[in-house]
Structure formats: structure tokens, C-alpha cells
Amino acid sequence: MQVLSLGGGVQSTTLFLMNLASEVDPRADFAVFADTGWERQGTYENIARLNTVGLEAGFPPIWRVSISNIRSEMLERGDGHYDHIPFYTQSLTSNGQLLFDGSEHVQEGVGQLRRQCTGHYKIRTINAAIQEEYSMVKRIQWLGFSVDELVRMRPSRVGYITHRFPLIEKRMDRADCVTWLQSHTYPVPVKSSCIGCPYHTDVEWKNLSPAEWEDACQFDEAIRDKHTTRRKNFKLYLHPSLVPLREVQLRQK
């Protein structure tokens, strides 16, 4: 079984369309999109377009799976349930000692919680849905990583799943994917990520729609009312400046 993991961003969109064009052999049996419930509107629109294009090409409907809404769950669960999203927080004392477990040093006085959202809301969700439908059938899982994302390559942790990276096989980077999409007159989609992803660059924050920006700002404010780090009463933020998102002076580049 050949399964294409579809995030809806530039790389996985290119991979999906290359699959329809028979530029990857063998052809995928189906594509699955793990929905966190908090994707950008452009991502949802792109998934809908891809589904239409796929159906017209005789490909099965995109399988959309979800475990829950990450935004709602984070706020509903409250204090102690912070560790799925890699929030920023104060992390180091003056002598450089970590104040709590599970952080990564970002810059002086700033740390970032471990990223667990992808594993929980994407990888586990896809695997659970496929296992429920097909049991533990052996499968090849296509991941849309490009050559500029080599550090993201990981072998599967279970024997019945083998990871495959078709874009890397073709030595394609993100720019190559954009060129492929444009040459096939397909619109270049927005970067696939949650609206309030702490990994956004300042430019990506600025590129949110007004409604998405307001949503992210409200979430950023809410997490400081409901969440603190496990061992210290340090506030959490979406931006590494440790400033409320609404007040951040975002850089142009």
C-alpha cells in the first residue's frame, strides 16, 4: 500500500500533483490529510482544490482525519497541558541552568518547549486512522520533504511502515517545487501550519490574514491565563521575544 501524507503546503502539494501526473512510480493508493482544526484558510482551500483535481483524474477522495481541534483543546485542558505546542518561555538562570525539563535554548534567557504537536495531531492521527481501517497492513508512507529539509528525514519506528521521500529522490528543493507548480499553472499554496504556530517567522506572522492574526493574538493572550511551565510560574508566548504577539514589532525580512 502506497500512502501519501498530505499537509497542503508547497512540497506535499507538488508531490500530490506529481503523483497524479504519474511522475512518481508506483502511484499512491490514496492521500491522507491530518487536520489539526486550526490550519490557515488558504490550506483548507488548497486541500479542496486538490481533492477536485484528484477526483477529475480518477484518484480517490482525499482522506481527512482529525483527533481534535488543537486550539480548543489547549485552552480547554488548561494548566499542565502545555507541552504539545512549542511555546517560548523564560528558560535559563544567570548561571545557565535550565529551569525546567523539556526545553531547548533559543537565545539568552529564552527557551522553547519541545515540539510534540506534529507527532500527536498529525503522525499519530494518520497512523491510527489507517490502522483502524486497514489493520497493521504493510505500507509505504510518502512524506513531502524536499532536499532543503534533509534534517527532517527519519525512518519509521514501526516495522510495517516504511517512509519514502519522493521529492528528495528527485533532488527537488522548495524552489523547484514552486517552479513545478507554476509551470503546471497551479497556484502556489500558503505554507502549511497552524495559525498560531510558534515557528512562524516575522514575515509569516505578517502574512496572516487580519482574521487569522486576531485569532493568533487572542490565543497568545489566553495561554498566559491558562498555562505555565511545569516547574516554574513562567508565562508562555508564541513569539521568541517573550512579548505579547499583539505588541511585537515584526521585522520586514
Side-chain angles (χ1 to χ4, degrees):
M1 178 182 290
Q2 306 279 332
V3 180
L4 194 160
S5 293
L6 181 62
V10 169
Q11 284 97 324
S12 67
T13 292
T14 303
L15 181 56
F16 180 87
L17 294 172
M18 290 178 71
N19 170 66
L20 297 185
S22 298
E23 294 188 24
V24 182
D25 185 51
R27 199 181 198 192
D29 293 297
F30 60 88
V32 57
F33 167 62
D35 183 7
T36 66
W38 203 26
E39 310 286 337
R40 294 188 61 187
Q41 182 60 32
T43 298
Y44 289 122
E45 292 171 355
N46 185 46
I47 293 295
R49 282 194 299 268
L50 290 175
N51 191 57
T52 298
V53 172
L55 291 174
E56 292 173 349
F59 193 70
I62 293 172
W63 188 6
R64 186 166 171 171
V65 299
S66 179
I67 190 172
S68 61
N69 181 298
I70 186 173
R71 187 191 194 282
S72 299
E73 186 170 68
M74 288 298 301
L75 298 183
E76 289 171 1
R77 294 288 293 273
D79 190 35
H81 187 70
Y82 64 80
D83 54 357
H84 280 150
I85 295 180
F87 296 123
Y88 296 100
T89 188
Q90 184 178 350
S91 69
L92 300 176
T93 62
S94 58
N95 63 3
Q97 296 298 309
L98 284 174
L99 292 172
F100 64 96
D101 295 333
S103 70
E104 297 179 2
H105 181 48
V106 176
Q107 60 194 40
E108 187 61 36
V110 180
Q112 187 172 26
L113 305 186
R114 288 188 300 123
R115 179 179 186 171
Q116 301 184 70
C117 44
T118 299
H120 184 72
Y121 292 92
K122 295 281 189 178
I123 298 173
R124 291 181 185 177
T125 302
I126 289 175
N127 290 344
I130 294 176
Q131 185 171 333
E132 181 177 354
E133 184 73 18
Y134 297 100
S135 189
M136 296 175 66
V137 62
K138 288 188 176 182
R139 66 180 186 269
I140 309 296
Q141 193 119 357
W142 298 14
L143 300 175
F145 299 163
S146 51
V147 294
D148 41 344
E149 300 176 307
L150 291 175
V151 295
R152 299 183 64 190
M153 293 179 66
R154 297 286 189 278
S156 171
R157 295 184 177 181
V158 294
Y160 60 92
I161 301 175
T162 300
H163 288 169
R164 184 184 179 190
F165 309 93
L167 296 178
I168 293 176
E169 293 172 10
K170 294 178 176 294
R171 304 293 190 269
M172 294 178 67
D173 61 17
R174 188 180 189 280
D176 292 327
C177 292
V178 170
T179 298
W180 193 97
L181 291 171
Q182 293 173 335
S183 68
H184 289 75
T185 65
Y186 195 88
V188 178
V190 300
K191 181 179 179 181
S192 174
S193 64
C194 288
I195 290 172
C197 178
Y199 285 113
H200 285 330
T201 64
D202 281 10
V203 172
E204 288 165 348
W205 282 122
K206 290 176 70 69
N207 286 338
L208 295 180
S209 71
E212 290 170 341
W213 170 254
E214 180 60 27
D215 187 9
C217 288
Q218 291 184 11
F219 179 78
D220 176 70
E221 292 159 0
I223 59 176
R224 283 185 291 284
D225 291 333
K226 292 182 174 290
H227 297 271
T228 60
T229 58
R230 184 171 298 164
R231 294 187 176 180
K232 297 287 183 178
N233 190 29
F234 289 159
K235 299 297 185 180
L236 303 176
Y237 298 84
L238 290 182
H239 196 272
S241 63
L242 303 188
V243 171
L245 186 60
R246 198 184 300 277
E247 301 172 15
V248 175
Q249 298 297 311
L250 297 173
R251 294 172 294 179
Q252 298 297 320
K253 295 183 179 180

